[in-house]
Amino acid sequence: MPQVRPWVLDTPHSGIRRMLEYARDVDNPVMLINGDPNFTTPEHIIDGAAAAARAGGTGYSPGDGLMTLREASAEKLGRINNIHVAADQVCITTGACGGLYTTLMVLLDPGDELLIPDPGWSNYAAMVHVLNAVPVAYPLQPDEGWSIDIEALEASITPRTRAILVNTPSNPTGCVESAESLRQVLDIAERHDLWIISDEAYDQLVFDAPAVSTASLGGSDRVISIFTFSKTYAMTGWRVGYTTGPSDFIRQLSLHQEPVVSCASTVSQHAALAALKGPQDCVDDMVAAYRRRRGIAVEILESGDVPFVMPHGAFFLMVDGRATQMDSWSLAHHMLREASVGTVPGLAFGAGGEGFLRLTLAASDDVIVEGVTRLTAAYASLTRSNGG
Ligand SMILES: Cc1ncc(COP(=O)(O)O)c(C=O)c1O
């Protein structure tokens, strides 16, 4: 076989998938691994897609998406995110993944550096690596609810830095960044003339207060905001999202996604339109379920004195396993083999996640009760045997 580009052989692959593979060898584990909502897409959204498909909406759309959906997305950005843009500043993408990857294609030269959160969603480093650019981790602070360490972020900037990626609400930490800290990130980007890529895939999945969008605070010439229908409407399999930013940038984004995907699935775009135009109580119901599950998990963890960092958004919770004195891969393996509960080791999200385990709240209440109870018992016996 002729050669593939050498560096693709070293692309870091998702630790989540590795844990899923290990879990296959265990009898009936309780799975707290997945980042996929355990809800199916609401009926009226599926109906909207089916009706549009039957009416002939099955061909290509324009590369930047159906104008009706761009307009509805712009309206939602103003209403929910306080980002006021025209429809031509919105490009419909193949989920947040498509928006992120095409953005990086447009911004990064080989050797350029992208600042990414640590711990952070593992796909960031993989995307940057494939472009032969360099992911540079900046730390989040577990003792401050996993908020950005602003000084360390600025200290990570070099002449090769092109952009800062922020993710709020965060996967894996559940942190919802404050307006104050996002303002500081904006100041840094302005001082160093950098782009900001704001991944807001979980923008509406918040438990205590609305999330602040970076672009609502300023930086209209340098903030690129990534959104998706995947999480808010339980539509991960439809692969549709949207990105907004300065007009000239959005033009480049559209031009560069077209040769790769032509357009996001037209049928899925009709589904997304039904999602935005239809009743929103399905979103409230799903958020209420994630919030309730957070409460269930927190109560069990607290009753067993298991430390964790309280999440305020997305649908994950980071358990602090440092007192076990095990590294996070060993701890996750231990939980899987001895307690039959699947979690994701914090190290899968970067060095800053070491010592932690990520649990999902995107599983049924029963699964969460069973899984967190098992984990709590296993934690107690580990810390007892440590004398800790
Ligand atoms: C932080 C974050 N950004 C983006 C995505 C990708 O979402 P999409 O399904 O819209 O591609 C995910 C999915 O897990 C995520 O956790």
Side-chain angles (χ1 to χ4, degrees):
M1 181 177 99
Q3 278 221 329
V4 297
R5 289 154 77 212
W7 59 83
V8 303
L9 300 175
D10 303 324
T11 301
H13 291 293
S14 156
I16 302 172
R17 285 198 192 277
R18 257 166 77 196
M19 275 314 291
L20 287 170
E21 278 158 28
Y22 294 134
R24 265 188 230 131
D25 296 335
V26 174
D27 236 5
N28 255 331
V30 179
M31 296 290 275
L32 297 181
I33 295 181
N34 270 321
D36 205 352
N38 66 320
F39 301 107
T40 46
T41 304
E43 279 294 311
H44 67 276
I45 298 177
I46 298 175
D47 289 346
R54 288 210 180 83
T58 53
Y60 294 119
S61 79
D64 42 15
L66 297 170
M67 187 41 93
T68 44
L69 181 58
R70 296 171 73 198
E71 282 165 359
S73 302
E75 187 279 325
K76 175 267 176 185
L77 286 166
R79 180 168 42 85
I80 303 280
N81 306 100
N82 205 15
I83 301 176
H84 300 282
V85 288
D88 70 355
Q89 280 177 265
V90 176
C91 176
I92 306 302
T93 61
T94 51
C97 281
L100 280 162
Y101 189 63
T102 315
T103 293
L104 298 180
M105 268 168 57
V106 168
L107 298 190
L108 298 182
D109 269 331
D112 277 352
E113 295 174 2
L114 175 73
L115 293 181
I116 58 171
D118 180 11
W121 186 46
S122 47
N123 290 37
Y124 301 141
M127 290 184 194
V128 176
H129 181 92
V130 169
L131 294 168
N132 208 14
V134 183
V136 175
Y138 67 82
L140 307 179
Q141 312 171 94
D143 301 328
E144 302 292 332
W146 291 111
S147 62
I148 297 170
D149 182 337
I150 296 289
E151 268 177 38
L153 168 68
E154 187 157 22
S156 309
I157 293 171
T158 76
R160 291 308 304 260
T161 309
R162 291 278 286 155
I164 302 169
L165 190 144
V166 294
N167 173 215
T168 176
S170 156
N171 173 11
T173 70
C175 173
V176 180
E177 288 295 342
S178 67
E180 180 47 30
S181 103
L182 293 172
R183 254 190 218 104
Q184 288 176 300
V185 176
L186 269 170
D187 284 350
I188 291 173
E190 255 147 43
R191 272 204 303 283
H192 297 269
D193 195 21
L194 303 173
W195 290 95
I196 295 180
I197 303 169
S198 189
D199 178 355
E200 302 180 34
Y202 299 89
D203 66 328
Q204 288 180 262
L205 305 190
V206 286
F207 308 137
D208 304 307
V212 176
S213 286
T214 315
S216 72
L217 303 171
S220 58
D221 56 340
R222 65 180 70 248
V223 181
I224 298 159
S225 310
I226 312 278
F227 293 91
T228 178
F229 295 92
S230 287
K231 314 289 178 173
T232 309
Y233 295 100
M235 289 178 66
T236 47
W238 297 79
R239 313 306 307 129
V240 59
Y242 50 109
T243 292
T244 187
S247 304
D248 289 349
F249 166 79
I250 291 298
R251 174 103 188 106
Q252 290 306 323
L253 185 75
S254 308
L255 290 172
H256 285 85
Q257 83 162 356
E258 197 174 324
V260 186
V261 296
S262 294
C263 61
S265 153
T266 305
V267 177
S268 298
Q269 293 189 58
H270 284 293
L273 192 57
L276 288 180
K277 296 278 190 196
Q280 299 300 303
D281 45 348
C282 55
V283 179
D284 299 339
D285 292 348
M286 287 189 273
V287 170
Y290 296 132
R291 186 187 294 112
R292 182 180 68 241
R293 295 167 187 170
R294 176 187 67 164
I296 293 171
V298 160
E299 197 180 319
I300 301 170
L301 293 169
E302 282 177 344
S303 73
D305 285 332
V306 183
F308 62 92
V309 182
M310 181 68 85
H312 297 286
F315 42 52
F316 305 104
L317 183 151
M318 291 283 263
V319 166
D320 184 349
R322 288 177 293 185
T324 65
Q325 293 165 23
M326 291 168 87
D327 67 81
S328 58
W329 273 102
S330 306
L331 186 56
H333 276 296
H334 179 89
M335 291 298 173
L336 188 58
R337 279 192 317 267
E338 305 302 324
S340 209
V341 55
T343 60
V344 186
L347 192 62
F349 304 100
E354 186 51 304
F356 289 80
L357 296 177
R358 189 194 77 173
L359 315 185
T360 187
L361 303 175
S364 73
D365 293 23
D366 290 349
V367 166
I368 288 178
V369 170
E370 182 61 28
V372 179
T373 303
R374 289 184 190 196
L375 180 133
T376 300
Y379 177 90
S381 67
L382 276 175
T383 44
R384 249 196 321 275
S385 60
N386 271 341

